[in-house]
């Protein structure tokens, strides 16, 4: 990964476990660095989205990445706060 440009991954509109696994594998294959996860395409804020974000955060941390989430809407932010993950995920 070019250290001047972050790796950008995009969470699909309706993330599945397979999507999470694919994105986590992408993070595992990349050298440690900055990662931006674009979440603006999410169709709805639900527990599947929260699960996907938590998995990505864990996978990034294990590989030494600094991950930040971009494009979270108010519903997703509220759900993350409700689940206690808002601060953990940096939103």
């Amino acid at each position: 990964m070019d250290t001047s440009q972050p790796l950008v991954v995009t969470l699909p509109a309706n993330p599945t476990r397979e999507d999470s696994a694919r994105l986590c594998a992408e993070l595992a294959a990349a050298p440690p660095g900055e990662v931006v996860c674009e979440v603006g395409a999410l169709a709805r804020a639900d527990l599947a989205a929260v699960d996907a974000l938590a998995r990505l955060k864990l996978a990034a941390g294990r590989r030494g990445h600094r991950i930040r989430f971009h494009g979270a809407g108010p519903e997703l932010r509220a759900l993350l706060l409700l689940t206690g993950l808002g601060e953990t995920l940096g939103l």
Side-chain angles (χ1 to χ4, degrees):
M1 173 175 18
D2 180 358
T3 57
S4 64
Q5 294 294 320
L7 171 65
V8 177
V9 296
T10 302
L11 202 62
N14 297 300
T16 63
R17 284 195 177 255
E18 291 78 21
D19 293 323
S20 295
R22 178 183 50 79
L23 292 172
C24 288
E26 190 175 331
L27 292 179
E34 184 178 355
V35 176
V36 175
C37 180
E38 177 57 54
V39 298
L42 282 172
R44 64 185 183 278
D46 59 13
L47 291 179
V50 171
D51 179 66
L53 294 175
R55 289 177 185 275
L56 286 171
K57 175 71 173 181
L58 285 171
R62 288 183 186 131
R63 184 64 176 129
H65 295 294
R66 295 171 311 281
I67 191 166
R68 58 188 167 95
F69 299 95
H70 180 264
E75 295 87 10
L76 180 58
R77 288 178 182 276
L79 183 57
L80 290 170
L81 288 173
L82 180 68
T83 60
L85 293 173
E87 191 172 310
T88 301
L89 296 177
L91 292 172

